[in-house]
Amino acid sequence: MTASFPGRFPDTRLRRLRRHDWLRRAVAETTLSAADLVWPLFVHDHRAPVAVPSMPGVERLPIEGVVRAAAEAVRLGIPAIAVFPVTEPTLKTDDGRLALDPDNLVCRTVHAIKRELGDTVGIICDVALDPYTTHGHDGLLVDGRILNDETVEVLVRQAVVLAEAGCHVVAPSDMMDGRVGAIREHLDAAGHEGVCILSYAAKYASAFYGPFRDAVGSKAALGVTDKKTYQMDPANTDEALREVALDLAEGADMVMVKPAGTALDIVHRVKTTFGVPTFAYQVSGEYAMIQAAAANGWLDGPAAALESVLVMKRAGADGILTYFAPELARSLGS
Ligand code: PBG
């Protein structure tokens, strides 16, 4: 930023530039459009949509519902969707091996979207074991510890399975060390050098993931345990930069900061330090807070949603994953 001298009152009156709507729009430094948004969607293996109680307005959708939502994203100018599977509890195992099954729900969903929409909408898939493990952790749990290198070996296979299914972007969300490099190497070896890696590089151990864990059913599984031995301590910022630096060195194409609203400082530091495509995830708890307050008449919901996402862009995010994506895109245009 260049230093500018603000002048003095009364020659300088900053309110002059706020006088009219056209003028405010003309001088706005940040603008938000549908192209800045990514729409996260939940898919389940049932015929009807089922509401997620802690995320009013969000439903777990059948595969056809996700395909329809993806088509809606195309119409609205939303460039990409992120697909999260809800696994039947009876299909979960200790080692989450369903993650490696090319016929699992998320792979079938990716196939269905590709069949209908080809490459007109980006498909982002999480790489992590939590949808598939009985204990709800993102990695392999042995004697109360999450194993790093053993987990990475499984994650690289999961990433290849997702790439074979046709997803455009794999997004490791597990926070194991060294997984980005290993995934890149295995994707390339399998002929998927065109598949991008969006690394959840700075992902904090956060209370704001609660409603998401309700939605995918990993909360009950996780019980009283937490993810603090692999997700980051919200007290830290330098560590976030180290995480991002490592992931970029290992070949991440894009990085993510999460949650977004409680880490705008991190979004800003990451973008200004590295100058790479930086995404911010407005997570389930952030969405739930706004929706709950709006439902009580305590907040203007649409205005709060728009403001909360706009400031993520202002902080430096090139793209924002948000459950408000379709509503925002409708009100913003592309
Ligand atoms: C799983 C994953 C989580 C989210 C995205 N991928 C939850 C977690 O780490 O427990 C959270 C998204 C949200 O809260 O909206 N690895």
Side-chain angles (χ1 to χ4, degrees), residues 15-28:
R15 286 188 57 195
R16 213 155 27 221
L17 288 168
R18 301 180 198 138
R19 233 179 129 193
H20 304 290
D21 179 61
W22 68 263
L23 188 49
R24 291 190 294 272
R25 281 188 286 123
V27 301

Side-chain angles (χ1 to χ4, degrees), residues 40 42 55 84 126-131 136-138 171-175 200 203-213 215-216 218-219 222 227 230-231 256 258-259 281-287 321-323:
F42 298 109
M55 300 178 73
F84 296 99
D126 252 37
V127 176
L129 299 182
D130 58 300
H137 279 290
D138 295 26
S173 67
D174 54 287
M175 289 298 282
Y200 286 70
K203 178 174 180 179
Y204 287 94
S206 173
F208 292 98
Y209 307 149
F212 175 97
R213 292 178 190 166
V216 300
S218 66
K219 192 185 208 157
L222 203 56
K227 301 190 176 183
Y230 46 106
Q231 298 179 348
M256 197 196 298
K258 178 186 171 192
Y281 198 145
Q282 182 179 51
V283 300
S284 56
E286 300 177 76
Y287 173 85
L321 287 87
T322 173
Y323 302 95

Side-chain angles (χ1 to χ4, degrees), residues 88-139:
E88 295 302 311
T90 52
L91 298 177
K92 295 185 183 185
T93 54
D94 220 31
D95 58 2
R97 73 182 83 98
L98 185 61
L100 306 180
D101 182 343
D103 287 322
N104 69 20
L105 180 60
V106 73
C107 291
R108 282 184 277 127
T109 307
V110 173
H111 281 299
I113 301 167
K114 287 290 280 261
R115 214 167 22 241
E116 197 74 15
L117 299 165
D119 297 322
T120 56
V121 65
I123 308 171
I124 304 173
C125 290
D126 252 37
V127 176
L129 299 182
D130 58 300
Y132 305 107
T133 51
T134 40
H135 44 75
H137 279 290
D138 295 26

